[in-house]
Amino acid sequence: MFSTHNFQGSPLTHQPSSPQTWSQRFTGTLHPAIATFNASISFDIALIEYDLTGSQAHAQMLAHTGIITDGERDQLISGLESIRHEYRRGDFCPGIALEDIHLAVEKRLTELVGDVGKKLHTARSRNDQVGTDIRLYLRHQIDEIRQQLGQFQTVLVEQAEQSVETIIPGYTHLQRAQPISLAHHLLAYFEMMQRDWERLGDIYRRVNVSPLGACALAGTPFPIDRHYTAQLLEFQDVYGNSLDAVSDRDFAIEFLCAASLILVHLSRLAEEIILWSSQEFHFVTLTDRCATGSSIMPQKKNPDVPELVRGKAGRVFGHLQALLVIMKGLPLAYNKDLQEDKEPIFDGVSTVKTCLEAMTILMGEGIVFNRERLGMAVTEDFSNATDVADYLANKGVPFREAYNLVGQVVRTCIASGKLLKDLTLEEWQAVHPQFDPDIYTAITPRQVVAARNSYGGTGFNQVRQALITARTRLADNNQTLLKRK
Ligand code: ARG
């Protein structure tokens, strides 16, 4: 991949564009700084493989419809293939003078195959060409991101499978609320990632529509076959309106929205790991595989990985915002503003991918749950108070009345430095005659968790069922992705 640095700012790259880049209408040359300003080659080189594939399909269609001969088609297709090889070898390094990847490829093609190269752009424009390239690129990236989501979900399920009986404090308002199974907590993230997986699948359908053949904005007088190129490029559908085809970036906004939600989810888990690894919580210990030290404080082990994920979320939200603003109020059809879609899309893609990879490693081998500490944590609080109220309610005491009674009990316990389990049966019965010795089992963390056996609750049976469902979903997801290949 070329670094932006090579293309921007360096005096070497301020080559004047040749007047021949444009039609004979131009006699002068572009100001070198404007040439640099105008060019997108420093970043749209990332589209090269898709550009070549799109152009090969276009050449095939031109022959299929009799616009060029089969011999010309073969020359164009093999010339484009040679550029692919040059690029993969690292020998294709177009400079600023060629403006963008589309012009750079056409120029090189003509050098390689001669004048026939100049026929490639018949019945096409860079406007439908760039739209085709981005869609091919995003389609591919969505598949890769969905695969990564699957890997992350797998690690979550693996951790959850080992943690069904590990009880942790559950929080609301970051205050101890009720004890829960650690597996239940981890599976909440599995569910978020499943929605992300499905959302990307839904967006894929709208990415997978061909704009090719819409040309500059209005279609073409040539007898092209847009369905033929769509079929060659495995697009599911073809844009029905040429203006919409070249100016639509809804699918990219949708993608960045889905990417933002992935980062919302990852950053929430990241934040929990940061909290959990603090001395105050001490629920997890970071392994040396994923933790970093301080250059001054020798005792420190820092959660840089989740912190970076939390921070990188901002970049992706920014890209979404950027694209929304680029599109807002843009008149039909193509405008050069649209060139600004690429960097947000590319960086959005790579940020999501690197964050997913890092979080998968972190959850797989970067943290160790301090199970003993977790076990202790849930015995030293009042997170079983609801269960005392539920106990009375089960015996016919109206819930609100039971709730008030338990509130009083908690208050006296706090005043006397006791926990609920420390109260004698006499003390319980003084609160309400319905208390029996079984109150002590009812308020053990294990029983408190097990009792929440309502559908989707943290009860161990529910969690075991949820794990089975999660495994089935993972298998179904894999099947769906495999079918696409
Ligand atoms: N580099 C341009 C982009 O990324 C390609 C399309 C340019 N079309 C044009 N008519 N200037 O949007």
Side-chain angles (χ1 to χ4, degrees):
M1 175 66 92
F2 298 87
S3 77
T4 314
H5 181 78
N6 292 340
F7 291 91
Q8 283 173 354
S10 141
L12 275 180
T13 60
H14 274 188
Q15 303 146 357
S17 74
S18 81
Q20 286 90 315
T21 304
W22 311 117
S23 69
Q24 304 285 317
R25 182 191 201 288
F26 288 81
T27 50
T29 52
L30 205 51
H31 187 290
I34 296 300
T36 305
F37 183 68
N38 199 42
S40 53
I41 188 75
S42 63
F43 48 86
D44 69 17
I45 187 84
L47 294 175
I48 183 165
E49 297 266 355
Y50 310 98
D51 197 72
L52 294 168
T53 304
S55 287
Q56 287 174 325
H58 180 66
Q60 213 160 324
M61 183 280 291
L62 290 177
H64 177 75
T65 50
I67 299 168
I68 62 172
T69 68
D70 287 356
E72 288 170 330
R73 170 199 63 200
D74 294 344
Q75 278 177 282
L76 292 175
I77 290 179
S78 78
L80 290 163
E81 207 49 28
S82 306
I83 299 175
R84 199 188 296 276
H85 291 305
E86 286 181 0
Y87 172 72
R88 289 185 183 173
R89 279 198 311 267
D91 293 340
F92 182 65
C93 313
I96 287 291
L98 290 167
E99 190 179 324
D100 63 21
I101 186 60
H102 323 295
L103 292 175
V105 165
E106 191 181 327
K107 171 94 183 319
R108 181 68 189 135
L109 181 67
T110 306
E111 281 166 14
L112 287 171
V113 303
D115 276 354
V116 64
K118 297 178 183 166
K119 291 201 170 185
L120 179 65
H121 215 50
T122 315
R124 187 178 71 170
S125 145
R126 282 185 295 158
N127 301 349
D128 56 339
Q129 191 179 353
V130 72
T132 306
D133 293 3
I134 306 173
R135 284 168 180 82
L136 292 175
Y137 163 87
L138 261 188
R139 207 172 67 173
H140 180 153
Q141 297 300 334
I142 287 176
D143 273 344
E144 291 201 353
I145 294 170
R146 289 178 104 197
Q147 232 158 30
Q148 281 191 294
L149 283 169
Q151 285 157 5
F152 183 55
Q153 286 179 302
T154 305
V155 168
L156 288 173
V157 170
E158 282 165 3
Q159 284 280 12
E161 280 165 348
Q162 292 162 34
S163 310
V164 176
E165 311 245 342
T166 303
I167 301 173
I168 64 166
Y171 295 82
T172 64
H173 313 270
L174 204 56
Q175 305 288 325
R176 297 263 179 101
Q178 289 167 352
I180 54 172
S181 156
L182 172 56
H184 193 52
H185 194 109
L186 294 170
L187 287 177
Y189 286 100
F190 178 94
E191 297 286 327
M192 297 177 216
M193 299 338 278
Q194 180 62 24
R195 284 196 294 278
D196 290 328
W197 194 91
E198 285 166 18
R199 197 168 1 256
L200 282 176
D202 183 43
I203 292 168
Y204 187 99
R205 293 190 296 118
R206 284 177 294 281
V207 172
N208 205 13
V209 181
S210 176
L212 195 56
C215 303
L217 75 164
T220 173
F222 288 98
I224 57 168
D225 186 343
R226 291 189 56 206
H227 293 91
Y228 185 74
T229 41
Q231 208 179 351
L232 290 175
L233 295 169
E234 294 176 355
F235 279 117
Q236 270 302 302
D237 205 350
V238 172
Y239 273 86
N241 180 299
S242 62
L243 297 172
D244 182 40
V246 290
S247 59
D248 173 32
R249 294 292 181 273
D250 293 359
F251 62 96
I253 293 176
E254 284 190 65
F255 170 78
L256 285 174
C257 189
S260 296
L261 279 171
I262 293 175
L263 263 298
V264 167
H265 299 150
L266 292 183
S267 70
R268 293 182 74 175
L269 180 57
E271 169 69 9
E272 297 210 289
I273 291 168
I274 295 163
L275 284 174
W276 289 352
S277 66
S278 69
Q279 209 171 328
E280 285 69 17
F281 274 82
H282 195 49
F283 287 180
V284 300
T285 302
L286 300 171
T287 69
D288 291 357
R289 292 284 273 174
C290 290
T292 39
S294 152
S295 60
I296 165 169
M297 295 165 281
Q299 85 284 9
K300 292 203 66 189
K301 208 171 192 188
N302 292 332
D304 287 21
V305 175
E307 286 175 308
L308 270 175
V309 168
R310 191 176 57 181
K312 280 176 192 286
R315 282 166 79 127
V316 180
F317 305 167
H319 296 324
L320 170 62
Q321 179 72 0
L323 199 48
L324 283 168
V325 176
I326 289 166
M327 295 310 294
K328 182 202 164 292
L330 206 63
L332 293 179
Y334 179 86
N335 298 272
K336 188 79 168 192
D337 314 43
L338 290 177
Q339 181 164 288
E340 286 294 303
D341 65 351
K342 279 162 214 66
E343 288 163 295
I345 296 174
F346 296 160
D347 190 72
V349 164
S350 71
T351 306
V352 169
K353 287 172 98 173
T354 50
C355 287
L356 273 171
E357 185 185 26
M359 286 300 279
T360 305
I361 296 170
L362 184 69
M363 291 310 285
E365 49 183 299
I367 58 169
V368 175
F369 286 99
N370 302 329
R371 295 187 198 264
E372 215 173 298
R373 156 82 186 129
L374 288 167
M376 294 294 295
V378 288
T379 56
E380 60 198 30
D381 60 21
F382 291 92
S383 59
N384 48 3
T386 318
D387 297 79
V388 180
D390 287 346
Y391 176 95
L392 285 182
N394 250 323
K395 297 198 169 186
V397 182
F399 180 79
R400 185 55 65 211
E401 196 181 315
Y403 163 91
N404 284 328
L405 282 173
V406 181
Q408 289 166 26
V409 176
V410 169
R411 197 184 45 184
T412 37
C413 277
I414 291 171
S416 56
K418 283 183 180 172
L419 292 168
L420 292 174
K421 65 175 176 185
D422 302 328
L423 297 179
T424 64
L425 190 58
E426 293 71 50
E427 285 172 312
W428 279 120
Q429 284 175 343
V431 175
H432 201 286
Q434 290 279 24
F435 281 114
D436 286 320
D438 61 352
I439 180 63
Y440 294 103
T441 359
I443 60 171
T444 60
R446 231 202 104 71
Q447 182 50 33
V448 167
V449 174
R452 290 188 162 65
N453 202 27
S454 53
Y455 180 78
T458 193
F460 301 115
N461 291 340
Q462 288 299 320
V463 173
R464 282 195 194 94
Q465 195 50 51
L467 277 169
I468 295 170
T469 312
R471 282 282 179 195
T472 314
R473 276 192 191 158
L474 278 178
D476 290 350
N477 291 355
N478 271 337
Q479 277 304 316
T480 309
L481 283 185
L482 279 176
K483 262 189 244 147
R484 191 162 277 170
K485 295 243 159 90

